[in-house]
Amino acid sequence: MNAQVGKGLTVRGIDKRFGLFRALADVTLQVHEGEFFTLLGPSGCGKTTLLRIIAGLELPDAGQVVLGGQDITSLPANKRQVNTVFQSYALFPHLNIFENVAFGLRSRKFTQEEIQSRVNRRLEMLGLEEMDRRYPHQLSGGQKQRVALARALVNEPDVLLLDEPMSALDARLRAQVQEELRRLQRKLGQTFILVTHDQAEALVVSDRIAVMNQGRIIQFGTPKDVYERPENQFVAEFLGAANLLHGRGVDKGIETAIGFFHLGQTPPWDQGTVAIRPERIRIASQSPARNGVRARVRETIYRGPNLDLWLEPGPLRVRTPSQRDYESGEEIWLELPPEGLVILDE
Amino acid sequence: MRRTHPLISAAALLTMGFLYLPLLSVAVFSVNATRYGLVWRGFTLDWYIQLVHNEFILEAAWNTLVLAVASTLVATVFGTVLAIGLDRFPWSKRTNTFLDIVLHVPVVIPDIILAAALVVAFGLLRALSSVFEPGLFNMIIGHITFQIAFVALVVRSRLVSIGREIEEAARDLFASTPYILRRITLPLLLPGIVAGAMLAFTLSLDDFVISFFTAGPESVTLPLFIFAAVRRGVTPQIHALSTLVVLITVILIIGMERFTRK
């Protein structure tokens, strides 16, 4: 393993059980300094437990948490340079916004002037300067979320943890906040670790994503990696829609029930699966030179900018710009280009 | 809106009447200008004025107040600490169930049983020290024993509604345990603590059974005085005194409601 760079975070061989339930199974990951890292997975996959272990709110049964070269596994939460934005925000209801944000500085006995200037700077940065005398119950969901963010960031943590911070916001606001969060992280250059079950959110904000399922990390990669090159069926299906083709692996191709398809390389298995995203399938005007399929439109779903077609045989899902309409029963040619077909692990 | 069946309204009114008419009639007789009989003879506050001039009653009122204040103070502190310990310490499931039962026993146990037990306990303690002679000190201890459970139950329900995430957030923000207790838990808990204390206070104020079994000759409280006086015949002063006790209790209960709703 490489020498630790700066204030990066390493998690090594973490195991955690709750009774008979194994929440985390030998989880290892490395987060670089200044990176926006996302733990993505369905509910119950262990991502929040892992976050709580990094925060120091939960002790692992085995394994290590190393921050900036120092083993912090058994250090309690109040001794770690790590701060958290909680899912419910957990603002202090009896303290006003200024005191909420100042809490971490007061705990560490900063001087009054220091507190004043740091808190005001954060409130200003997040557009909350008018709110400092209000109380949490007087704020909207979006404002509360920004207070929670300010309260954590004011401490300039080595790592900022975000536990599904967008889940309480409505869809429109969420999209806007995701972009803001992304920009904020770029500007500050701080390490962020986000936990989410929303794949679209993960793709928007992250530098790197770890996809988790059943207490394990299934795949690491950039958003483009995990979306375009999923390694297995779970990742392919969890990150958006995917067409799965089962068949027999042959030299640089796969023999399926709907025909033979050329692949960029030879699959490492005899029987297996390849995946293709609906938007990677092309609609051709005539029989393509290779990887063509003659298909009949069964159903069309209008999605605004795009149109989803469900086709026989398959069923295959194709996503196409919605300029042209398709009739149910219409026959069209499809091309499944080799670069769009991804070989999945067994 | 749905209309209620007249029978249901009637039953509700009857129940209310059943509960409150005796209290109301006591209040009415306390301002009736006649010593005997059930006939209205005009409004008077004489009986209340006489109360203030009755030495025994004043002493009993003073004893009641001392008993209620002292026992409530101690019970509130212990009850709060107990509630925090019960709710926040990571007890195993089985221990938790056990503690829950232990906490509810003083609430559901008949007063007379607790009183008899206290008599036995003080009897044994008297062998060690003469402090445990029947009297105000024993009464305070007796009241504390049942008040603690009530305070703990009220405070614990408040703790449950606060949840743990806020304390976790405070810990995440570098706060030590005493600092969390001082700046987060106790301020958020205050309405629950006050409500628990008010409940304990009213319980002490009108307790008869425990007081009766633990009191000495010098420590007559208002309920004990009323009991003794009624045996000699109900006088309008007793009506006035009872009305006052009920009024104070009602005010405290309303205050408690206000506080817990916040």
Side-chain angles (χ1 to χ4, degrees), chain A residues 52 80 83-84 88 94 107, chain B residues 165 168 172-174 183:
Chain A
R52 288 173 60 83
R80 298 186 182 196
N83 292 111
T84 309
S88 66
H94 60 304
S107 307
Chain B
E165 209 173 32
E168 283 183 349
D172 185 66
L173 293 164
F174 313 105
R183 281 212 63 200

Side-chain angles (χ1 to χ4, degrees), chain A residues 206-228:
Chain A
S206 319
D207 290 315
R208 262 191 325 144
I209 296 172
V211 184
M212 291 185 71
N213 191 30
Q214 297 185 338
R216 294 169 194 281
I217 292 181
I218 309 219
Q219 188 175 349
F220 280 106
T222 64
K224 197 167 172 180
D225 279 344
V226 290
Y227 184 75
E228 305 271 350

Side-chain angles (χ1 to χ4, degrees), chain B residues 39-250:
Chain B
V39 190
W40 180 253
R41 290 275 159 77
F43 181 84
T44 179
L45 285 175
D46 282 357
W47 314 122
Y48 287 89
I49 294 161
Q50 281 181 22
L51 279 186
V52 190
H53 296 297
N54 186 326
E55 246 177 77
F56 296 106
I57 290 178
L58 287 182
E59 199 194 317
W62 175 248
N63 283 339
T64 309
L65 195 67
V66 170
L67 171 61
V69 169
S71 62
T72 300
L73 282 178
V74 178
T76 302
V77 173
F78 279 113
T80 302
V81 173
L82 181 63
I84 293 175
L86 284 175
D87 191 67
R88 293 303 199 238
F89 188 84
W91 304 101
S92 73
K93 203 162 242 172
R94 199 180 301 168
T95 320
N96 210 17
T97 317
F98 172 73
L99 289 171
D100 203 46
I101 294 168
V102 170
L103 183 61
H104 278 89
V105 165
V107 177
V108 295
I109 201 173
D111 277 359
I112 190 81
I113 306 289
L114 183 61
L118 283 168
V119 169
V120 175
F122 287 132
L124 291 174
L125 287 169
R126 219 169 292 139
L128 298 175
S129 160
S130 61
V131 176
F132 297 103
E133 288 298 325
L136 204 53
F137 184 70
N138 281 8
M139 293 167 88
I140 292 173
I141 295 178
H143 282 208
I144 291 169
T145 51
F146 70 84
Q147 282 172 319
I148 284 180
F150 284 94
V151 174
L153 282 173
V154 173
V155 173
R156 193 176 63 161
S157 78
R158 174 85 191 169
L159 270 169
V160 170
S161 76
I162 293 170
R164 294 184 183 203
E165 209 173 32
I166 287 178
E167 285 166 25
E168 283 183 349
R171 185 166 304 281
D172 185 66
L173 293 164
F174 313 105
S176 61
T177 304
Y179 192 75
I180 294 173
L181 202 62
R182 192 156 51 83
R183 281 212 63 200
I184 303 295
T185 313
L186 285 180
L188 289 177
L189 216 48
L190 192 63
I193 296 172
V194 172
M198 282 177 166
L199 180 62
F201 192 83
T202 56
L203 287 172
S204 167
L205 206 60
D206 52 19
D207 172 76
F208 173 76
V209 178
I210 308 282
S211 299
F212 187 75
F213 277 71
T214 48
E218 304 285 297
S219 60
V220 174
T221 61
L222 287 177
L224 295 181
F225 177 84
I226 293 171
F227 176 74
V230 165
R231 296 213 298 186
R232 277 180 265 118
V234 184
T235 63
Q237 282 113 308
I238 295 302
H239 288 314
L241 188 56
S242 307
T243 307
L244 281 180
V245 172
V246 169
L247 267 181
I248 293 169
T249 311
V250 167

